[in-house]
Amino acid sequence: MENYPNKAMKSRFEEAFEKFLPAPDDATIQQQIKDAIEKHYEELNNRDTIKLIHSCIDLTSLSSTDHEDHIYRMVHNVNELDENDPSIPPVASICVYPNHVHTVKEHLMVEEVKITSVAGGFPSAQTFTEIKVAEIQLAIHDGANEIDVVLPIGEFLSGNYNEVVEQLQEQHDACHGATYKVILETGALKTAENIQRASILALYSDADFIKTSTGKEYPGASLEAAYVMANVLKQYHEQNGEKRGLKVSGGVRTTEAAIKYLCIVKEVLGDDWLTNELFRFGATSLEADVFKYLK
């Protein structure tokens, strides 16, 4: 398949890509990450930062074995922490499959905590666009105020960027103002150039956040992918004056690892992004590790 179905499409996407600096090579990425960690790790390795990490977690349960009682217990733990230890800020959101949104909505008592639903044929995005849109609408009807969808990887890798953008834009419009996060599945994209181009397409499709991974079929988050995505977000902000968010998901299990991601965010994007309005961790086990330092 040709990368561009006609000259008009070629001009449209090339124009968007050419607004950004070329994706850095692997050696440059590795060195920049090393420098950022050396520069900021000790500064960020403190209790206030660990509280920040907790506040940036989208506390996630996305298993085929999920059931109502399991989701209820997760929500109950969030409620209980807020009641018993308000010195620890609550997680940013609780992230579940669409059919469990109603359980979260029914039992969640902490007003600041959002309800995130994966949707749009998660985790493969291999279904009809009409189904993706309907799933988003049903999740929002049940109480979701944040939606995580997967960029159509097959269409992207085949060069069908027009289809990628059309699908993402339709799903964005179905959100009706809910926070819209687009998962790039960086483990499948593999190269810095692919990750950069996917990030750009997602942002120009009105993504509020770009997210690394589903944590399912492919390798999860990496510092390298986060660095590339952060650089795209920086340039997008410089060009458009708009701040869009970054979500790191898939395999971030320790506080030490989380701090390293914050080092990249601080170095590339600055302190304005060190807030759960612009940065998230999609995680299941990270919270337990954070508690070792906060309790």
Side-chain angles (χ1 to χ4, degrees):
M1 179 180 294
E2 294 293 328
N3 274 357
Y4 307 97
N6 56 51
K7 289 184 179 179
M9 288 300 102
K10 179 176 181 178
S11 174
R12 173 188 174 192
F13 295 118
E14 281 300 319
E15 182 179 350
F17 296 147
E18 288 172 2
K19 289 180 181 179
F20 294 78
L21 296 172
D25 60 56
D26 291 346
T28 299
I29 293 170
Q30 293 287 349
Q31 186 61 52
Q32 292 297 319
I33 291 170
K34 181 175 181 290
D35 291 346
I37 292 171
E38 289 180 352
K39 181 177 179 181
H40 297 296
Y41 190 91
E42 290 306 318
E43 172 192 357
L44 292 173
N45 187 16
N46 58 62
R47 185 176 179 85
D48 285 343
T49 296
I50 296 171
K51 286 183 177 181
L52 170 66
I53 291 169
H54 190 263
S55 76
C56 291
I57 292 175
D58 285 351
L59 189 62
T60 301
S61 189
L62 297 172
S63 170
S64 58
T65 60
D66 286 348
H67 53 83
E68 185 173 1
D69 287 346
H70 170 75
I71 301 301
Y72 166 75
R73 288 194 297 271
M74 183 169 67
V75 176
H76 173 73
N77 290 340
V78 171
N79 292 336
E80 190 172 49
L81 176 66
D82 187 68
E83 182 177 350
N84 295 339
D85 194 348
S87 69
I88 300 176
V91 294
S93 82
I94 295 173
C95 179
V96 295
Y97 278 115
N99 54 310
H100 292 300
V101 167
H102 72 281
T103 300
V104 181
K105 176 70 172 178
E106 181 179 359
H107 298 290
L108 182 61
M109 304 297 293
V110 188
E111 186 174 344
E112 307 99 293
V113 178
K114 306 298 184 183
I115 302 173
T116 297
S117 176
V118 296
F122 178 95
S124 69
Q126 294 285 10
T127 190
F128 302 104
T129 302
E130 294 85 352
I131 299 296
K132 296 180 180 183
V133 167
E135 192 173 43
I136 290 167
Q137 292 173 335
L138 288 167
I140 290 173
H141 178 269
D142 276 1
N145 39 39
E146 300 194 350
I147 297 291
D148 290 17
V149 306
V150 183
L151 180 141
I153 312 287
E155 299 292 353
F156 176 86
L157 292 175
S158 70
N160 194 356
Y161 300 148
N162 190 54
E163 180 65 20
V164 171
V165 169
E166 285 188 357
Q167 287 194 31
L168 291 180
Q169 191 66 61
E170 282 193 57
Q171 290 177 90
H172 165 267
D173 294 346
C175 288
H176 295 294
T179 298
Y180 180 53
K181 309 191 199 98
V182 174
I183 305 165
L184 307 184
E185 199 67 291
T186 55
L189 298 179
K190 297 181 180 178
T191 69
E193 182 177 6
N194 278 345
I195 293 167
Q196 174 159 310
R197 287 190 168 209
S199 297
I200 293 166
L201 294 181
L203 291 172
Y204 281 97
S205 302
D206 293 320
D208 296 304
F209 277 74
I210 50 176
K211 174 179 171 182
T212 57
S213 318
T214 63
K216 298 296 183 182
E217 184 176 357
Y218 297 96
S222 70
L223 294 170
E224 293 78 9
Y227 177 83
V228 173
M229 293 164 69
N231 271 281
V232 172
L233 290 168
K234 177 183 179 182
Q235 293 176 71
Y236 185 85
H237 174 243
E238 291 170 349
Q239 294 168 20
N240 300 284
E242 298 177 7
K243 295 176 181 176
R244 305 288 178 88
L246 174 63
K247 180 173 175 179
V248 174
S249 185
V252 184
R253 298 182 176 90
T254 68
T255 304
E256 178 184 10
I259 293 172
K260 290 179 180 178
Y261 282 102
L262 292 184
C263 290
I264 293 172
V265 172
K266 184 176 178 69
E267 179 65 19
V268 177
L269 292 167
D271 290 343
D272 284 355
W273 265 261
L274 296 179
T275 165
N276 66 15
E277 294 181 358
L278 290 169
F279 184 74
R280 300 284 179 86
F281 291 105
T284 302
S285 57
L286 176 60
E287 186 185 40
D289 193 74
V290 164
F291 283 156
K292 294 192 302 188
Y293 301 92
L294 293 181
K295 287 190 167 183

